[in-house]
Amino acid sequence: MKLNRFILLLIAYLFCSTFWTQEEYVFSKEIDSTIKVLKILPPDTNKVLIINNVVDKLWKKSQFDSALVYAKMSYELSKELDFPKGTGNVLTSIGIVYAIKGDYPKAINSMQDALDIFVSLNDKPKIASAYNNLGNIFEKQGNYKKALEHHLKSLKLKEELGDTLSMVSSYNNIGIVLKYEGNFEKALEYYHKSLEINLKSQKSKSIAQSYTNIGGVYQEMIVSNYHNDTISKNKLYEICLDNYLKALEMSQKEDNKVGESIALNNLASIFYMMGNYNAALDYNMQALKIREQIGDKSGISGTKANLSQVYLKLNKKEEAKSYISESLSLALEIGAKDRIKNSYKIISEVDSASENYKDAYLNYKLYTKYLDSLVNEENTINTTQMQMQFEFDKKAAEDSVLNANLQAIQKAEIEKQNAEIERKEAEINSKRNQQYALFGGLLLFLIFSGFIYNRFRVTRKQNRLIEVQKKQVEQKNILVEKAHSEISEKNREILDSINYAERIQRSFLASKDILDKYLGVTSSSDIGEESRSEPNYFVFFKPKDVVSGDFYWASELNNGNFSFCCADSTGHGVPGAIMSILNITCLEKAIEKETEPHLILGETRKLIIERLKKDGSIEGGKDGMDCSLLVLNSNKTQLKFASANNPIFIVRKNIEPQTTNFELIEFKPDKMPVGKHDKDHMPFTIQTVELKPGDVIYTLTDGFPDQFGGEKGKKYMIKKLKSFLLSIAHLPMKEQHSKLNEEFSNWKGENEQVDDVCIIGVRI
């Protein structure tokens, strides 16, 4: 039995040691073969080590999802075997994968758990590595104080261990933080230490990283208008390009996709700064392609922000707006404050170039908010102090014996000198106090005399001024009262007009009668209570202002089916309300001709475009709406719908064993509005769903997920809203409406409501 086990382990070892180094084999076949070997191995610590080896190979090949699958297998087996070393190693790999994918909170949790395990094992090399990894993640989040703190802890352990090669990563990472703080000379000092070690070891990937880091410092010098008599600006550009091209060559040689994408992105940035926008566009596109292949969310966000700036320089504002919106969405998703900050700044620039000055101002305010949270005096002071403290501690440890002897001698001499100084100071102070008393008395007499005379002159002058000012104030009060009366009258007229507009708009919305008739109500009663009706639907409608760009509409179609719509018109307030009425009239005109949801939206789009051609602009109006149009058959067994930018969810009871009670099914919309657009020649997509009793259909606009609030002032986000809908889907529809209202109010808090909100829920 022991011999058989030894043979199996030997086979597994040979598999793992050869599979991952022989390029002539297809990678997918290697994985399949490894799975077969793992199935026959006994569940012991050797199997954990082999699986961890597989995990490392997978994430280094950028196969992150597969790596996480195997990591979970290793983690569960390690916990079962009480094998902390294996658990710590696989948690480290999981943290690295999440960091590359841009999920920093999960990355920090996994890496901190790994660090706790290595500390309990007193495994100093692993502790140093964990500190290094945590520092990298905090740096990507923009938390430079914690980043430098962890990198210095890592470097200190590596110096104690004499691990020269491992010190390279610490040199690099400390250099990154120092660069962000503007300490360019010190950053270059650390980077050149790293490069010197890497060149000796001939590791292409590490050499590429050193060249990238050095180039980055020189680029930051250009951006910061760094002045140095020995280096011209053109020379700085030349040094940057030279280092980035070397980094690209080394990354391609190693087939390092992450390094290659970074080098391409950096080259694009330099060409952008030099004004060569076509070259910048080409390198950015190459970088984006690689980052999308490996699923690097943080990198994708950064490259799309760069593309937005390039397109803005090329005067292609629509492309610029599209790329920066996608960049911001990803940055918010992964919680990367530095990327969020940069995205808001670029959005402000795009809005300004498009003469949308109001949004430009609002987005610039958001940029400054994130800038203040990242770059502040406390951060700079703390990081500088930590750097100085590290250097001081290191030097103090070397000179401690010598310092002790010197301090003893100096202390005695200083005490002797201090006694003599104190005696002489006492004599001088006594004479000085006598002189001060004499001169002080004389000075006080002169000051008091001058003060009495000056007060007499000022009082006489003030009495004359008071009389003049009294008459002026009386005249101003009369004017202010008149202006206040006029303003109050104007405000009343405006409010009356808006309230009247709200009544008009309300008449276009779906009435309770038609919704009750087609979506239905359920009668219910308890013992001792009167019978009451519970609706099978709710409409959570919360305009930002009195009138709204969001609207909900419903109508019976010519074939007897029932259609209802949840829509977000361009704008909000009075302009949005006017646009919503136009959209509703176009919908009502379209259903005279069509009964299928995708054809209704197509006809509505055609009518909107025709109407807005007359708006007086050169290109014709580009306004319209994002909406979802849903059609239920007469017995509510089938749902057909078409959707423009707005998603549709169905929460259904899950009948599968060993699963949660409900599941949320999401249906993606067409990525185009109902209105003038680059894709307005394309038809809308029709989707059909066979409904089951108890299904809950949700359709909504983007107002709820886009609301800023919570403890950190972030967007609510669609992912959080889906989870919330799933948690309340079992409740009566009226109670769901209350829960949504409560959740929205709690999240918004004291923040301003940013947009109109509309959510419709229907239970089958």
Side-chain angles (χ1 to χ4, degrees):
M1 188 68 180
K2 290 183 178 180
L3 181 61
N4 290 338
R5 183 182 179 192
F6 173 77
I7 293 170
L8 289 173
L9 289 172
L10 180 60
I11 292 170
Y13 174 77
L14 291 173
F15 252 77
C16 291
S17 61
T18 59
F19 266 17
W20 307 100
T21 58
Q22 297 179 5
E23 295 180 356
E24 64 269 19
Y25 290 111
V26 179
F27 194 72
S28 62
K29 291 183 179 179
E30 296 175 353
I31 297 298
D32 292 339
S33 301
T34 306
I35 291 172
K36 293 177 183 178
V37 174
L38 288 173
K39 286 180 178 178
I40 61 176
L41 287 175
D44 57 13
T45 56
N46 291 303
K47 185 173 182 177
V48 171
L49 296 175
I50 293 168
I51 299 174
N52 286 353
N53 186 37
V54 171
V55 172
D56 288 342
K57 297 292 183 181
L58 284 167
W59 74 255
K60 287 175 183 177
K61 285 286 185 179
S62 302
Q63 296 192 14
F64 304 126
D65 292 337
S66 298
L68 289 174
V69 171
Y70 279 94
K72 183 178 180 182
M73 182 191 306
S74 172
Y75 178 80
E76 291 174 350
L77 182 56
S78 297
K79 297 294 285 184
E80 181 182 336
L81 296 170
D82 192 20
F83 181 33
K85 181 178 179 181
T87 307
N89 288 339
V90 76
L91 283 169
T92 299
S93 297
I94 291 171
I96 291 171
V97 171
Y98 279 130
I100 294 173
K101 289 170 72 67
D103 194 339
Y104 300 135
K106 288 184 180 179
I108 291 170
N109 288 338
S110 296
M111 206 64 72
Q112 186 62 55
D113 290 343
L115 174 62
D116 293 342
I117 291 172
F118 295 140
V119 169
S120 69
L121 297 173
N122 197 28
D123 189 337
K124 290 187 177 181
K126 292 288 187 181
I127 296 171
S129 178
Y131 278 132
N132 186 76
N133 290 330
L134 280 166
N136 286 337
I137 300 168
F138 284 123
E139 179 266 315
K140 287 182 179 294
Q141 277 194 316
N143 191 339
Y144 305 133
K145 177 183 175 182
K146 281 196 172 183
L148 187 59
E149 176 187 334
H150 284 80
H151 287 315
L152 289 173
K153 287 180 180 179
S154 177
L155 179 59
K156 184 177 180 180
L157 281 171
K158 291 170 183 177
E159 288 179 339
E160 289 177 4
L161 295 167
D163 189 351
T164 305
L165 291 178
S166 293
M167 287 159 59
V168 167
S169 63
S170 292
Y171 288 145
N172 285 336
N173 296 327
I174 292 170
I176 289 171
V177 180
L178 291 170
K179 180 189 75 173
Y180 287 145
E181 294 300 328
N183 193 344
F184 302 130
E185 290 82 1
K186 199 68 178 177
L188 284 172
E189 179 184 326
Y190 276 102
Y191 286 150
H192 280 294
K193 286 181 183 179
S194 168
L195 178 61
E196 183 181 352
I197 297 172
N198 287 332
L199 288 171
K200 288 179 181 178
S201 63
Q202 288 296 306
K203 290 185 177 181
S204 299
K205 184 175 180 180
S206 299
I207 295 171
Q209 185 180 358
S210 292
Y211 282 131
T212 296
N213 291 337
I214 292 170
V217 175
Y218 284 107
Q219 183 175 352
E220 194 62 34
M221 287 180 178
I222 299 169
V223 173
S224 304
N225 290 319
Y226 175 81
H227 295 290
N228 189 319
D229 295 335
T230 62
I231 305 178
S232 66
K233 194 168 187 178
N234 287 336
K235 185 64 176 178
L236 289 174
Y237 280 123
E238 183 182 331
I239 295 171
C240 282
L241 286 172
D242 180 58
N243 280 282
Y244 288 155
L245 286 169
K246 286 178 180 177
L248 179 61
E249 180 184 355
M250 289 293 177
S251 297
Q252 289 173 337
K253 178 180 177 182
E254 190 73 13
D255 193 25
N256 175 12
K257 294 298 183 184
V258 174
E260 185 179 353
S261 69
I262 292 171
L264 289 166
N265 202 73
N266 289 334
L267 285 165
S269 177
I270 287 297
F271 280 115
Y272 175 84
M273 293 169 65
M274 294 171 69
N276 190 343
Y277 302 125
N278 289 324
L281 184 64
D282 179 55
Y283 279 112
N284 270 317
M285 284 298 186
Q286 292 183 54
L288 180 61
K289 183 178 180 181
I290 293 172
R291 285 174 166 176
E292 286 179 338
Q293 287 175 353
I294 64 178
D296 178 6
K297 289 185 179 180
S298 177
I300 294 169
S301 175
T303 303
K304 287 189 174 182
N306 295 340
L307 280 166
S308 176
Q309 291 183 300
V310 175
Y311 276 121
L312 191 58
K313 289 292 185 182
L314 294 172
N315 202 29
K316 296 183 177 181
K317 300 182 185 68
E318 287 193 12
E319 289 87 344
K321 185 73 171 181
S322 175
Y323 274 108
I324 194 57
S325 296
E326 293 171 7
S327 172
L328 175 60
S329 179
L330 270 175
L332 288 168
E333 180 183 337
I334 63 179
K337 290 184 180 178
D338 195 50
R339 296 226 185 276
I340 296 170
K341 175 202 73 175
N342 292 337
S343 294
Y344 279 124
K345 183 175 184 292
I346 297 168
I347 290 174
S348 175
E349 292 169 356
V350 175
D351 286 334
S352 181
S354 303
E355 299 183 359
N356 188 359
Y357 299 118
K358 181 179 179 181
D359 286 347
Y361 171 71
L362 293 174
N363 283 305
Y364 191 81
K365 282 180 68 178
L366 288 168
Y367 157 71
T368 57
K369 173 185 173 183
Y370 278 93
L371 180 66
D372 291 342
S373 70
L374 286 172
V375 183
N376 53 63
E377 183 178 357
E378 183 181 356
N379 257 2
T380 303
I381 292 172
N382 285 336
T383 52
T384 303
Q385 286 177 340
M386 283 190 286
Q387 170 63 22
M388 293 175 65
Q389 186 64 43
F390 174 77
E391 298 289 348
F392 175 80
D393 290 346
K394 182 178 177 181
K395 184 67 178 174
E398 296 172 356
D399 300 337
S400 59
V401 175
L402 178 61
N403 287 343
N405 295 331
L406 287 173
Q407 287 173 359
I409 296 170
Q410 290 172 349
K411 183 178 180 181
E413 184 64 26
I414 288 170
E415 287 177 352
K416 182 179 178 182
Q417 291 175 359
N418 285 343
E420 181 64 20
I421 289 169
E422 286 176 0
R423 185 184 64 79
K424 290 181 178 180
E425 282 183 347
E427 293 177 0
I428 292 169
N429 287 337
S430 177
K431 292 179 180 179
R432 185 182 296 142
N433 289 337
Q434 292 173 5
Q435 292 173 345
Y436 284 165
L438 178 62
F439 288 123
L442 180 60
L443 181 62
L444 284 172
F445 174 76
L446 293 173
I447 291 172
F448 182 73
S449 300
F451 176 76
I452 294 297
Y453 176 72
N454 184 62
R455 289 312 303 164
F456 172 74
R457 292 176 63 239
V458 169
T459 302
R460 187 172 59 183
K461 185 177 180 180
Q462 284 178 343
N463 287 335
R464 290 197 298 265
L465 286 173
I466 288 169
E467 290 298 324
V468 174
Q469 290 173 350
K470 181 179 179 182
K471 293 179 181 179
Q472 291 175 344
V473 168
E474 289 173 351
Q475 292 174 351
K476 286 182 181 179
N477 286 339
I478 294 170
L479 293 173
V480 167
E481 288 178 5
K482 183 179 179 182
H484 182 268
S485 176
E486 291 176 355
I487 292 170
S488 297
E489 180 63 22
K490 290 292 183 185
N491 283 340
R492 187 186 63 77
E493 291 175 2
I494 292 169
L495 288 173
D496 287 347
S497 297
I498 292 174
N499 288 329
Y500 187 68
E502 189 269 338
R503 287 170 53 199
I504 295 171
Q505 185 188 24
R506 195 188 320 135
S507 70
F508 280 82
L509 302 180
S511 67
K512 183 176 184 299
D513 290 340
I514 193 171
L515 294 175
D516 284 350
K517 178 180 177 182
Y518 288 97
L519 298 180
V521 294
T522 301
S523 296
S524 63
S525 62
D526 295 327
I527 297 174
E529 295 184 0
E530 295 182 359
S531 176
R532 65 182 187 277
S533 296
E534 294 288 347
N536 289 332
Y537 69 91
F538 70 77
V539 178
F540 180 61
F541 183 55
K542 199 173 187 67
K544 179 181 185 295
D545 303 306
V546 178
V547 288
S548 168
D550 283 14
F551 67 87
Y552 57 96
W553 168 88
S555 179
E556 181 182 356
L557 301 178
N558 292 334
N559 60 0
N561 290 340
F562 176 68
S563 68
F564 60 100
C565 172
C566 180
D568 179 3
S569 304
T570 307
H572 49 72
V574 174
I578 294 171
M579 196 65 214
S580 72
I581 292 173
L582 171 62
N583 291 331
I584 291 172
T585 56
C586 290
L587 274 168
E588 291 177 342
K589 186 72 175 174
I591 64 172
E592 293 176 5
K593 181 178 178 181
E594 305 292 351
T595 57
E596 293 296 326
H598 64 303
L599 299 179
I600 294 172
L601 285 191
E603 181 65 17
T604 302
R605 176 173 62 190
K606 178 181 175 183
L607 292 168
I608 291 171
I609 293 172
E610 285 297 321
R611 295 271 178 89
L612 293 179
K613 278 183 179 178
K614 307 168 187 176
D615 71 346
S617 63
I618 297 173
E619 298 180 350
K622 291 188 176 181
D623 297 311
M625 61 178 169
D626 295 338
C627 79
S628 48
L629 183 69
L630 301 87
V631 175
L632 286 167
N633 63 356
S634 57
N635 56 6
K636 300 180 189 173
T637 58
Q638 187 183 75
L639 172 69
K640 291 183 179 181
F641 58 88
S643 185
N645 286 329
N646 285 353
I648 292 175
F649 310 130
I650 293 180
V651 175
R652 175 170 292 170
K653 194 162 187 180
N654 199 330
I655 60 173
E656 294 293 329
Q658 298 180 346
T659 59
T660 56
N661 290 334
F662 293 92
E663 63 174 337
L664 185 143
I665 308 166
E666 180 175 358
F667 299 92
K668 300 292 185 181
D670 291 323
K671 293 296 183 181
M672 55 182 175
V674 182
K676 191 174 179 64
H677 189 261
D678 294 340
K679 298 180 181 179
D680 59 22
H681 61 285
M682 297 175 62
F684 289 97
T685 306
I686 184 171
Q687 300 189 61
T688 304
V689 179
E690 299 301 323
L691 298 172
K692 297 181 179 180
D695 283 355
V696 183
I697 304 164
Y698 296 102
T699 175
L700 63 149
T701 62
D702 60 1
F704 199 121
D706 283 352
Q707 178 61 45
F708 288 96
E711 294 180 359
K712 298 182 179 179
K714 293 185 176 181
K715 282 188 178 183
Y716 191 86
M717 303 301 289
I718 194 68
K719 182 179 179 182
K720 185 178 179 68
L721 180 57
K722 287 192 289 186
S723 297
F724 186 73
L725 290 174
L726 191 60
S727 71
I728 66 172
H730 65 285
L731 299 173
M733 304 307 284
K734 187 175 181 180
E735 190 171 341
Q736 288 191 40
H737 181 281
S738 299
K739 292 289 186 182
L740 280 167
N741 187 46
E742 180 182 346
E743 178 75 0
F744 184 79
S745 297
N746 290 339
W747 178 261
K748 182 174 75 69
E750 297 300 321
N751 294 291
E752 180 185 357
Q753 184 173 334
V754 298
D755 200 357
D756 302 320
V757 175
C758 187
I759 302 176
I760 299 175
V762 178
R763 189 188 301 280
I764 302 302

